[in-house]
mmCIF file with all atom_site columns, all heavy atoms in Angstrom:
data_model
loop_
_atom_site.group_PDB
_atom_site.id
_atom_site.type_symbol
_atom_site.label_atom_id
_atom_site.label_alt_id
_atom_site.label_comp_id
_atom_site.label_asym_id
_atom_site.label_entity_id
_atom_site.label_seq_id
_atom_site.pdbx_PDB_ins_code
_atom_site.Cartn_x
_atom_site.Cartn_y
_atom_site.Cartn_z
_atom_site.occupancy
_atom_site.B_iso_or_equiv
_atom_site.pdbx_formal_charge
_atom_site.auth_seq_id
_atom_site.auth_comp_id
_atom_site.auth_asym_id
_atom_site.auth_atom_id
_atom_site.pdbx_PDB_model_num
ATOM 1   N N   . THR A 1 158 ? -42.476 -14.321 -41.121 1.00 0.00 ? 158 THR A N   1
ATOM 2   C CA  . THR A 1 158 ? -41.963 -13.739 -39.787 1.00 0.00 ? 158 THR A CA  1
ATOM 3   C C   . THR A 1 158 ? -41.265 -14.817 -39.063 1.00 0.00 ? 158 THR A C   1
ATOM 4   O O   . THR A 1 158 ? -40.201 -14.609 -38.467 1.00 0.00 ? 158 THR A O   1
ATOM 5   C CB  . THR A 1 158 ? -43.161 -13.031 -39.076 1.00 0.00 ? 158 THR A CB  1
ATOM 6   O OG1 . THR A 1 158 ? -43.780 -12.104 -39.852 1.00 0.00 ? 158 THR A OG1 1
ATOM 7   C CG2 . THR A 1 158 ? -42.638 -12.461 -37.774 1.00 0.00 ? 158 THR A CG2 1
ATOM 8   N N   . ALA A 1 159 ? -41.922 -15.975 -39.017 1.00 0.00 ? 159 ALA A N   1
ATOM 9   C CA  . ALA A 1 159 ? -41.374 -17.072 -38.205 1.00 0.00 ? 159 ALA A CA  1
ATOM 10  C C   . ALA A 1 159 ? -40.098 -17.550 -38.809 1.00 0.00 ? 159 ALA A C   1
ATOM 11  O O   . ALA A 1 159 ? -39.118 -17.828 -38.045 1.00 0.00 ? 159 ALA A O   1
ATOM 12  C CB  . ALA A 1 159 ? -42.475 -18.206 -38.150 1.00 0.00 ? 159 ALA A CB  1
ATOM 13  N N   . VAL A 1 160 ? -39.993 -17.633 -40.029 1.00 0.00 ? 160 VAL A N   1
ATOM 14  C CA  . VAL A 1 160 ? -38.779 -18.075 -40.849 1.00 0.00 ? 160 VAL A CA  1
ATOM 15  C C   . VAL A 1 160 ? -37.655 -17.175 -40.524 1.00 0.00 ? 160 VAL A C   1
ATOM 16  O O   . VAL A 1 160 ? -36.451 -17.459 -40.280 1.00 0.00 ? 160 VAL A O   1
ATOM 17  C CB  . VAL A 1 160 ? -38.989 -18.281 -42.307 1.00 0.00 ? 160 VAL A CB  1
ATOM 18  C CG1 . VAL A 1 160 ? -37.677 -18.423 -43.055 1.00 0.00 ? 160 VAL A CG1 1
ATOM 19  C CG2 . VAL A 1 160 ? -39.851 -19.483 -42.508 1.00 0.00 ? 160 VAL A CG2 1
ATOM 20  N N   . ASN A 1 161 ? -38.025 -15.799 -40.576 1.00 0.00 ? 161 ASN A N   1
ATOM 21  C CA  . ASN A 1 161 ? -36.943 -14.773 -40.366 1.00 0.00 ? 161 ASN A CA  1
ATOM 22  C C   . ASN A 1 161 ? -36.469 -14.881 -38.921 1.00 0.00 ? 161 ASN A C   1
ATOM 23  O O   . ASN A 1 161 ? -35.284 -14.439 -38.639 1.00 0.00 ? 161 ASN A O   1
ATOM 24  C CB  . ASN A 1 161 ? -37.599 -13.324 -40.529 1.00 0.00 ? 161 ASN A CB  1
ATOM 25  C CG  . ASN A 1 161 ? -37.839 -13.044 -42.013 1.00 0.00 ? 161 ASN A CG  1
ATOM 26  O OD1 . ASN A 1 161 ? -37.237 -13.733 -42.898 1.00 0.00 ? 161 ASN A OD1 1
ATOM 27  N ND2 . ASN A 1 161 ? -38.663 -12.040 -42.321 1.00 0.00 ? 161 ASN A ND2 1
ATOM 28  N N   . SER A 1 162 ? -37.280 -15.315 -38.001 1.00 0.00 ? 162 SER A N   1
ATOM 29  C CA  . SER A 1 162 ? -36.839 -15.386 -36.558 1.00 0.00 ? 162 SER A CA  1
ATOM 30  C C   . SER A 1 162 ? -36.173 -16.702 -36.310 1.00 0.00 ? 162 SER A C   1
ATOM 31  O O   . SER A 1 162 ? -35.816 -16.958 -35.168 1.00 0.00 ? 162 SER A O   1
ATOM 32  C CB  . SER A 1 162 ? -38.041 -15.156 -35.662 1.00 0.00 ? 162 SER A CB  1
ATOM 33  O OG  . SER A 1 162 ? -38.950 -16.237 -35.727 1.00 0.00 ? 162 SER A OG  1
ATOM 34  N N   . LEU A 1 163 ? -36.042 -17.528 -37.369 1.00 0.00 ? 163 LEU A N   1
ATOM 35  C CA  . LEU A 1 163 ? -35.473 -18.897 -37.083 1.00 0.00 ? 163 LEU A CA  1
ATOM 36  C C   . LEU A 1 163 ? -34.028 -18.902 -36.567 1.00 0.00 ? 163 LEU A C   1
ATOM 37  O O   . LEU A 1 163 ? -33.693 -19.654 -35.681 1.00 0.00 ? 163 LEU A O   1
ATOM 38  C CB  . LEU A 1 163 ? -35.601 -19.690 -38.485 1.00 0.00 ? 163 LEU A CB  1
ATOM 39  C CG  . LEU A 1 163 ? -35.605 -21.118 -38.375 1.00 0.00 ? 163 LEU A CG  1
ATOM 40  C CD1 . LEU A 1 163 ? -36.723 -21.644 -37.473 1.00 0.00 ? 163 LEU A CD1 1
ATOM 41  C CD2 . LEU A 1 163 ? -35.641 -21.801 -39.722 1.00 0.00 ? 163 LEU A CD2 1
ATOM 42  N N   . PRO A 1 164 ? -33.141 -18.008 -37.049 1.00 0.00 ? 164 PRO A N   1
ATOM 43  C CA  . PRO A 1 164 ? -31.752 -17.936 -36.547 1.00 0.00 ? 164 PRO A CA  1
ATOM 44  C C   . PRO A 1 164 ? -31.789 -17.713 -34.989 1.00 0.00 ? 164 PRO A C   1
ATOM 45  O O   . PRO A 1 164 ? -31.012 -18.312 -34.288 1.00 0.00 ? 164 PRO A O   1
ATOM 46  C CB  . PRO A 1 164 ? -31.178 -16.779 -37.274 1.00 0.00 ? 164 PRO A CB  1
ATOM 47  C CG  . PRO A 1 164 ? -31.845 -16.726 -38.577 1.00 0.00 ? 164 PRO A CG  1
ATOM 48  C CD  . PRO A 1 164 ? -33.255 -17.091 -38.247 1.00 0.00 ? 164 PRO A CD  1
ATOM 49  N N   . GLN A 1 165 ? -32.615 -16.705 -34.603 1.00 0.00 ? 165 GLN A N   1
ATOM 50  C CA  . GLN A 1 165 ? -32.758 -16.422 -33.168 1.00 0.00 ? 165 GLN A CA  1
ATOM 51  C C   . GLN A 1 165 ? -33.242 -17.608 -32.320 1.00 0.00 ? 165 GLN A C   1
ATOM 52  O O   . GLN A 1 165 ? -32.797 -17.940 -31.307 1.00 0.00 ? 165 GLN A O   1
ATOM 53  C CB  . GLN A 1 165 ? -33.649 -15.273 -32.870 1.00 0.00 ? 165 GLN A CB  1
ATOM 54  C CG  . GLN A 1 165 ? -33.046 -13.901 -33.416 1.00 0.00 ? 165 GLN A CG  1
ATOM 55  C CD  . GLN A 1 165 ? -33.588 -13.593 -34.727 1.00 0.00 ? 165 GLN A CD  1
ATOM 56  O OE1 . GLN A 1 165 ? -33.568 -14.354 -35.627 1.00 0.00 ? 165 GLN A OE1 1
ATOM 57  N NE2 . GLN A 1 165 ? -34.051 -12.252 -34.835 1.00 0.00 ? 165 GLN A NE2 1
ATOM 58  N N   . LEU A 1 166 ? -34.183 -18.340 -33.043 1.00 0.00 ? 166 LEU A N   1
ATOM 59  C CA  . LEU A 1 166 ? -34.779 -19.488 -32.398 1.00 0.00 ? 166 LEU A CA  1
ATOM 60  C C   . LEU A 1 166 ? -33.788 -20.605 -32.219 1.00 0.00 ? 166 LEU A C   1
ATOM 61  O O   . LEU A 1 166 ? -33.784 -21.298 -31.147 1.00 0.00 ? 166 LEU A O   1
ATOM 62  C CB  . LEU A 1 166 ? -35.962 -19.966 -33.259 1.00 0.00 ? 166 LEU A CB  1
ATOM 63  C CG  . LEU A 1 166 ? -37.177 -20.720 -32.515 1.00 0.00 ? 166 LEU A CG  1
ATOM 64  C CD1 . LEU A 1 166 ? -37.754 -19.836 -31.429 1.00 0.00 ? 166 LEU A CD1 1
ATOM 65  C CD2 . LEU A 1 166 ? -38.208 -21.152 -33.441 1.00 0.00 ? 166 LEU A CD2 1
ATOM 66  N N   . LEU A 1 167 ? -32.963 -20.764 -33.213 1.00 0.00 ? 167 LEU A N   1
ATOM 67  C CA  . LEU A 1 167 ? -31.871 -21.862 -33.148 1.00 0.00 ? 167 LEU A CA  1
ATOM 68  C C   . LEU A 1 167 ? -30.870 -21.522 -32.168 1.00 0.00 ? 167 LEU A C   1
ATOM 69  O O   . LEU A 1 167 ? -30.401 -22.410 -31.477 1.00 0.00 ? 167 LEU A O   1
ATOM 70  C CB  . LEU A 1 167 ? -31.327 -21.999 -34.602 1.00 0.00 ? 167 LEU A CB  1
ATOM 71  C CG  . LEU A 1 167 ? -32.126 -22.736 -35.601 1.00 0.00 ? 167 LEU A CG  1
ATOM 72  C CD1 . LEU A 1 167 ? -31.575 -22.587 -36.986 1.00 0.00 ? 167 LEU A CD1 1
ATOM 73  C CD2 . LEU A 1 167 ? -32.466 -24.108 -35.319 1.00 0.00 ? 167 LEU A CD2 1
ATOM 74  N N   . GLU A 1 168 ? -30.578 -20.211 -32.112 1.00 0.00 ? 168 GLU A N   1
ATOM 75  C CA  . GLU A 1 168 ? -29.566 -19.820 -31.028 1.00 0.00 ? 168 GLU A CA  1
ATOM 76  C C   . GLU A 1 168 ? -30.153 -19.958 -29.599 1.00 0.00 ? 168 GLU A C   1
ATOM 77  O O   . GLU A 1 168 ? -29.424 -20.419 -28.811 1.00 0.00 ? 168 GLU A O   1
ATOM 78  C CB  . GLU A 1 168 ? -29.191 -18.276 -31.279 1.00 0.00 ? 168 GLU A CB  1
ATOM 79  C CG  . GLU A 1 168 ? -28.274 -17.710 -30.332 1.00 0.00 ? 168 GLU A CG  1
ATOM 80  C CD  . GLU A 1 168 ? -26.882 -18.285 -30.095 1.00 0.00 ? 168 GLU A CD  1
ATOM 81  O OE1 . GLU A 1 168 ? -26.529 -19.160 -31.002 1.00 0.00 ? 168 GLU A OE1 1
ATOM 82  O OE2 . GLU A 1 168 ? -26.180 -18.026 -29.187 1.00 0.00 ? 168 GLU A OE2 1
ATOM 83  N N   . LYS A 1 169 ? -31.490 -19.726 -29.469 1.00 0.00 ? 169 LYS A N   1
ATOM 84  C CA  . LYS A 1 169 ? -32.098 -19.866 -28.231 1.00 0.00 ? 169 LYS A CA  1
ATOM 85  C C   . LYS A 1 169 ? -31.990 -21.273 -27.830 1.00 0.00 ? 169 LYS A C   1
ATOM 86  O O   . LYS A 1 169 ? -31.785 -21.669 -26.697 1.00 0.00 ? 169 LYS A O   1
ATOM 87  C CB  . LYS A 1 169 ? -33.449 -19.445 -28.247 1.00 0.00 ? 169 LYS A CB  1
ATOM 88  C CG  . LYS A 1 169 ? -34.236 -19.329 -26.960 1.00 0.00 ? 169 LYS A CG  1
ATOM 89  C CD  . LYS A 1 169 ? -35.565 -18.651 -27.026 1.00 0.00 ? 169 LYS A CD  1
ATOM 90  C CE  . LYS A 1 169 ? -36.220 -18.495 -25.669 1.00 0.00 ? 169 LYS A CE  1
ATOM 91  N NZ  . LYS A 1 169 ? -37.527 -17.861 -25.710 1.00 0.00 ? 169 LYS A NZ  1
ATOM 92  N N   . LYS A 1 170 ? -32.263 -22.191 -28.820 1.00 0.00 ? 170 LYS A N   1
ATOM 93  C CA  . LYS A 1 170 ? -32.314 -23.637 -28.572 1.00 0.00 ? 170 LYS A CA  1
ATOM 94  C C   . LYS A 1 170 ? -30.859 -24.134 -28.091 1.00 0.00 ? 170 LYS A C   1
ATOM 95  O O   . LYS A 1 170 ? -30.665 -24.873 -27.177 1.00 0.00 ? 170 LYS A O   1
ATOM 96  C CB  . LYS A 1 170 ? -32.714 -24.450 -29.782 1.00 0.00 ? 170 LYS A CB  1
ATOM 97  C CG  . LYS A 1 170 ? -32.721 -25.958 -29.672 1.00 0.00 ? 170 LYS A CG  1
ATOM 98  C CD  . LYS A 1 170 ? -33.736 -26.344 -28.677 1.00 0.00 ? 170 LYS A CD  1
ATOM 99  C CE  . LYS A 1 170 ? -33.991 -27.931 -28.777 1.00 0.00 ? 170 LYS A CE  1
ATOM 100 N NZ  . LYS A 1 170 ? -32.837 -28.732 -28.313 1.00 0.00 ? 170 LYS A NZ  1
ATOM 101 N N   . ARG A 1 171 ? -29.838 -23.579 -28.724 1.00 0.00 ? 171 ARG A N   1
ATOM 102 C CA  . ARG A 1 171 ? -28.446 -23.904 -28.426 1.00 0.00 ? 171 ARG A CA  1
ATOM 103 C C   . ARG A 1 171 ? -28.137 -23.470 -26.991 1.00 0.00 ? 171 ARG A C   1
ATOM 104 O O   . ARG A 1 171 ? -27.559 -24.265 -26.207 1.00 0.00 ? 171 ARG A O   1
ATOM 105 C CB  . ARG A 1 171 ? -27.497 -23.204 -29.410 1.00 0.00 ? 171 ARG A CB  1
ATOM 106 C CG  . ARG A 1 171 ? -26.079 -23.590 -29.139 1.00 0.00 ? 171 ARG A CG  1
ATOM 107 C CD  . ARG A 1 171 ? -25.041 -22.675 -30.030 1.00 0.00 ? 171 ARG A CD  1
ATOM 108 N NE  . ARG A 1 171 ? -25.008 -21.370 -29.478 1.00 0.00 ? 171 ARG A NE  1
ATOM 109 C CZ  . ARG A 1 171 ? -24.215 -20.985 -28.388 1.00 0.00 ? 171 ARG A CZ  1
ATOM 110 N NH1 . ARG A 1 171 ? -23.594 -21.866 -27.749 1.00 0.00 ? 171 ARG A NH1 1
ATOM 111 N NH2 . ARG A 1 171 ? -24.180 -19.677 -27.975 1.00 0.00 ? 171 ARG A NH2 1
ATOM 112 N N   . LEU A 1 172 ? -28.582 -22.313 -26.512 1.00 0.00 ? 172 LEU A N   1
ATOM 113 C CA  . LEU A 1 172 ? -28.297 -21.801 -25.232 1.00 0.00 ? 172 LEU A CA  1
ATOM 114 C C   . LEU A 1 172 ? -29.039 -22.656 -24.217 1.00 0.00 ? 172 LEU A C   1
ATOM 115 O O   . LEU A 1 172 ? -28.617 -22.882 -23.118 1.00 0.00 ? 172 LEU A O   1
ATOM 116 C CB  . LEU A 1 172 ? -28.701 -20.373 -25.104 1.00 0.00 ? 172 LEU A CB  1
ATOM 117 C CG  . LEU A 1 172 ? -27.768 -19.434 -25.854 1.00 0.00 ? 172 LEU A CG  1
ATOM 118 C CD1 . LEU A 1 172 ? -28.299 -17.968 -25.865 1.00 0.00 ? 172 LEU A CD1 1
ATOM 119 C CD2 . LEU A 1 172 ? -26.306 -19.383 -25.339 1.00 0.00 ? 172 LEU A CD2 1
ATOM 120 N N   . ILE A 1 173 ? -30.350 -23.016 -24.533 1.00 0.00 ? 173 ILE A N   1
ATOM 121 C CA  . ILE A 1 173 ? -31.176 -23.803 -23.594 1.00 0.00 ? 173 ILE A CA  1
ATOM 122 C C   . ILE A 1 173 ? -30.491 -25.203 -23.353 1.00 0.00 ? 173 ILE A C   1
ATOM 123 O O   . ILE A 1 173 ? -30.313 -25.613 -22.244 1.00 0.00 ? 173 ILE A O   1
ATOM 124 C CB  . ILE A 1 173 ? -32.565 -24.016 -24.180 1.00 0.00 ? 173 ILE A CB  1
ATOM 125 C CG1 . ILE A 1 173 ? -33.362 -22.661 -24.106 1.00 0.00 ? 173 ILE A CG1 1
ATOM 126 C CG2 . ILE A 1 173 ? -33.324 -25.095 -23.338 1.00 0.00 ? 173 ILE A CG2 1
ATOM 127 C CD1 . ILE A 1 173 ? -34.675 -22.722 -24.897 1.00 0.00 ? 173 ILE A CD1 1
ATOM 128 N N   . ASP A 1 174 ? -29.993 -25.717 -24.505 1.00 0.00 ? 174 ASP A N   1
ATOM 129 C CA  . ASP A 1 174 ? -29.300 -27.147 -24.435 1.00 0.00 ? 174 ASP A CA  1
ATOM 130 C C   . ASP A 1 174 ? -28.030 -26.922 -23.612 1.00 0.00 ? 174 ASP A C   1
ATOM 131 O O   . ASP A 1 174 ? -27.746 -27.805 -22.780 1.00 0.00 ? 174 ASP A O   1
ATOM 132 C CB  . ASP A 1 174 ? -28.969 -27.581 -25.849 1.00 0.00 ? 174 ASP A CB  1
ATOM 133 C CG  . ASP A 1 174 ? -30.183 -28.108 -26.633 1.00 0.00 ? 174 ASP A CG  1
ATOM 134 O OD1 . ASP A 1 174 ? -31.195 -28.262 -25.959 1.00 0.00 ? 174 ASP A OD1 1
ATOM 135 O OD2 . ASP A 1 174 ? -30.059 -28.285 -27.855 1.00 0.00 ? 174 ASP A OD2 1
ATOM 136 N N   . MET A 1 175 ? -27.320 -25.870 -23.769 1.00 0.00 ? 175 MET A N   1
ATOM 137 C CA  . MET A 1 175 ? -26.070 -25.672 -23.026 1.00 0.00 ? 175 MET A CA  1
ATOM 138 C C   . MET A 1 175 ? -26.373 -25.502 -21.514 1.00 0.00 ? 175 MET A C   1
ATOM 139 O O   . MET A 1 175 ? -25.608 -26.179 -20.759 1.00 0.00 ? 175 MET A O   1
ATOM 140 C CB  . MET A 1 175 ? -25.287 -24.377 -23.572 1.00 0.00 ? 175 MET A CB  1
ATOM 141 C CG  . MET A 1 175 ? -23.965 -24.162 -22.906 1.00 0.00 ? 175 MET A CG  1
ATOM 142 S SD  . MET A 1 175 ? -23.185 -22.641 -23.581 1.00 0.00 ? 175 MET A SD  1
ATOM 143 C CE  . MET A 1 175 ? -24.050 -21.381 -22.755 1.00 0.00 ? 175 MET A CE  1
ATOM 144 N N   . HIS A 1 176 ? -27.314 -24.682 -21.211 1.00 0.00 ? 176 HIS A N   1
ATOM 145 C CA  . HIS A 1 176 ? -27.579 -24.406 -19.819 1.00 0.00 ? 176 HIS A CA  1
ATOM 146 C C   . HIS A 1 176 ? -28.249 -25.715 -19.168 1.00 0.00 ? 176 HIS A C   1
ATOM 147 O O   . HIS A 1 176 ? -28.058 -25.944 -17.987 1.00 0.00 ? 176 HIS A O   1
ATOM 148 C CB  . HIS A 1 176 ? -28.483 -23.211 -19.649 1.00 0.00 ? 176 HIS A CB  1
ATOM 149 C CG  . HIS A 1 176 ? -27.702 -21.895 -19.785 1.00 0.00 ? 176 HIS A CG  1
ATOM 150 N ND1 . HIS A 1 176 ? -26.825 -21.415 -18.844 1.00 0.00 ? 176 HIS A ND1 1
ATOM 151 C CD2 . HIS A 1 176 ? -27.644 -20.961 -20.860 1.00 0.00 ? 176 HIS A CD2 1
ATOM 152 C CE1 . HIS A 1 176 ? -26.325 -20.309 -19.251 1.00 0.00 ? 176 HIS A CE1 1
ATOM 153 N NE2 . HIS A 1 176 ? -26.834 -20.124 -20.477 1.00 0.00 ? 176 HIS A NE2 1
ATOM 154 N N   . THR A 1 177 ? -28.847 -26.459 -19.955 1.00 0.00 ? 177 THR A N   1
ATOM 155 C CA  . THR A 1 177 ? -29.445 -27.731 -19.413 1.00 0.00 ? 177 THR A CA  1
ATOM 156 C C   . THR A 1 177 ? -28.335 -28.623 -19.094 1.00 0.00 ? 177 THR A C   1
ATOM 157 O O   . THR A 1 177 ? -28.350 -29.271 -18.027 1.00 0.00 ? 177 THR A O   1
ATOM 158 C CB  . THR A 1 177 ? -30.472 -28.364 -20.497 1.00 0.00 ? 177 THR A CB  1
ATOM 159 O OG1 . THR A 1 177 ? -31.545 -27.438 -20.838 1.00 0.00 ? 177 THR A OG1 1
ATOM 160 C CG2 . THR A 1 177 ? -30.984 -29.617 -19.945 1.00 0.00 ? 177 THR A CG2 1
ATOM 161 N N   . THR A 1 178 ? -27.339 -28.716 -19.938 1.00 0.00 ? 178 THR A N   1
ATOM 162 C CA  . THR A 1 178 ? -26.140 -29.546 -19.730 1.00 0.00 ? 178 THR A CA  1
ATOM 163 C C   . THR A 1 178 ? -25.419 -29.052 -18.416 1.00 0.00 ? 178 THR A C   1
ATOM 164 O O   . THR A 1 178 ? -25.027 -29.886 -17.567 1.00 0.00 ? 178 THR A O   1
ATOM 165 C CB  . THR A 1 178 ? -25.201 -29.496 -20.863 1.00 0.00 ? 178 THR A CB  1
ATOM 166 O OG1 . THR A 1 178 ? -25.807 -29.938 -22.058 1.00 0.00 ? 178 THR A OG1 1
ATOM 167 C CG2 . THR A 1 178 ? -23.869 -30.325 -20.628 1.00 0.00 ? 178 THR A CG2 1
ATOM 168 N N   . ILE A 1 179 ? -25.224 -27.798 -18.329 1.00 0.00 ? 179 ILE A N   1
ATOM 169 C CA  . ILE A 1 179 ? -24.500 -27.270 -17.218 1.00 0.00 ? 179 ILE A CA  1
ATOM 170 C C   . ILE A 1 179 ? -25.257 -27.520 -15.835 1.00 0.00 ? 179 ILE A C   1
ATOM 171 O O   . ILE A 1 179 ? -24.699 -28.023 -14.875 1.00 0.00 ? 179 ILE A O   1
ATOM 172 C CB  . ILE A 1 179 ? -24.211 -25.676 -17.396 1.00 0.00 ? 179 ILE A CB  1
ATOM 173 C CG1 . ILE A 1 179 ? -23.251 -25.432 -18.438 1.00 0.00 ? 179 ILE A CG1 1
ATOM 174 C CG2 . ILE A 1 179 ? -23.687 -25.083 -16.001 1.00 0.00 ? 179 ILE A CG2 1
ATOM 175 C CD1 . ILE A 1 179 ? -23.107 -24.027 -18.905 1.00 0.00 ? 179 ILE A CD1 1
ATOM 176 N N   . ALA A 1 180 ? -26.545 -27.191 -15.878 1.00 0.00 ? 180 ALA A N   1
ATOM 177 C CA  . ALA A 1 180 ? -27.439 -27.305 -14.829 1.00 0.00 ? 180 ALA A CA  1
ATOM 178 C C   . ALA A 1 180 ? -27.495 -28.780 -14.379 1.00 0.00 ? 180 ALA A C   1
ATOM 179 O O   . ALA A 1 180 ? -27.605 -29.153 -13.078 1.00 0.00 ? 180 ALA A O   1
ATOM 180 C CB  . ALA A 1 180 ? -28.784 -26.726 -14.972 1.00 0.00 ? 180 ALA A CB  1
ATOM 181 N N   . THR A 1 181 ? -27.536 -29.783 -15.304 1.00 0.00 ? 181 THR A N   1
ATOM 182 C CA  . THR A 1 181 ? -27.668 -31.122 -15.083 1.00 0.00 ? 181 THR A CA  1
ATOM 183 C C   . THR A 1 181 ? -26.336 -31.604 -14.355 1.00 0.00 ? 181 THR A C   1
ATOM 184 O O   . THR A 1 181 ? -26.397 -32.363 -13.419 1.00 0.00 ? 181 THR A O   1
ATOM 185 C CB  . THR A 1 181 ? -27.823 -32.012 -16.379 1.00 0.00 ? 181 THR A CB  1
ATOM 186 O OG1 . THR A 1 181 ? -29.054 -31.544 -16.975 1.00 0.00 ? 181 THR A OG1 1
ATOM 187 C CG2 . THR A 1 181 ? -27.961 -33.418 -16.075 1.00 0.00 ? 181 THR A CG2 1
ATOM 188 N N   . GLY A 1 182 ? -25.200 -31.065 -14.853 1.00 0.00 ? 182 GLY A N   1
ATOM 189 C CA  . GLY A 1 182 ? -23.889 -31.407 -14.232 1.00 0.00 ? 182 GLY A CA  1
ATOM 190 C C   . GLY A 1 182 ? -23.813 -30.908 -12.732 1.00 0.00 ? 182 GLY A C   1
ATOM 191 O O   . GLY A 1 182 ? -23.393 -31.644 -11.872 1.00 0.00 ? 182 GLY A O   1
ATOM 192 N N   . ILE A 1 183 ? -24.346 -29.658 -12.450 1.00 0.00 ? 183 ILE A N   1
ATOM 193 C CA  . ILE A 1 183 ? -24.397 -29.171 -11.132 1.00 0.00 ? 183 ILE A CA  1
ATOM 194 C C   . ILE A 1 183 ? -25.423 -29.912 -10.282 1.00 0.00 ? 183 ILE A C   1
ATOM 195 O O   . ILE A 1 183 ? -25.158 -30.324 -9.168  1.00 0.00 ? 183 ILE A O   1
ATOM 196 C CB  . ILE A 1 183 ? -24.826 -27.627 -11.159 1.00 0.00 ? 183 ILE A CB  1
ATOM 197 C CG1 . ILE A 1 183 ? -23.725 -26.874 -11.735 1.00 0.00 ? 183 ILE A CG1 1
ATOM 198 C CG2 . ILE A 1 183 ? -25.185 -27.202 -9.757  1.00 0.00 ? 183 ILE A CG2 1
ATOM 199 C CD1 . ILE A 1 183 ? -24.053 -25.349 -12.007 1.00 0.00 ? 183 ILE A CD1 1
ATOM 200 N N   . LEU A 1 184 ? -26.614 -30.274 -10.845 1.00 0.00 ? 184 LEU A N   1
ATOM 201 C CA  . LEU A 1 184 ? -27.546 -30.996 -10.139 1.00 0.00 ? 184 LEU A CA  1
ATOM 202 C C   . LEU A 1 184 ? -27.092 -32.452 -9.672  1.00 0.00 ? 184 LEU A C   1
ATOM 203 O O   . LEU A 1 184 ? -27.329 -32.853 -8.557  1.00 0.00 ? 184 LEU A O   1
ATOM 204 C CB  . LEU A 1 184 ? -28.866 -31.211 -11.007 1.00 0.00 ? 184 LEU A CB  1
ATOM 205 C CG  . LEU A 1 184 ? -29.984 -31.910 -10.325 1.00 0.00 ? 184 LEU A CG  1
ATOM 206 C CD1 . LEU A 1 184 ? -30.482 -31.298 -9.068  1.00 0.00 ? 184 LEU A CD1 1
ATOM 207 C CD2 . LEU A 1 184 ? -31.093 -32.062 -11.284 1.00 0.00 ? 184 LEU A CD2 1
#
Side-chain angles (χ1 to χ4, degrees):
T158 305
V160 168
N161 288 338
S162 67
L163 205 56
Q165 292 97 314
L166 208 58
L167 291 171
E168 175 62 9
K169 188 173 185 177
K170 179 67 167 67
R171 184 189 72 80
L172 292 174
I173 291 168
D174 287 346
M175 182 181 77
H176 284 288
T177 301
T178 299
I179 294 169
T181 302
I183 291 171
L184 180 60

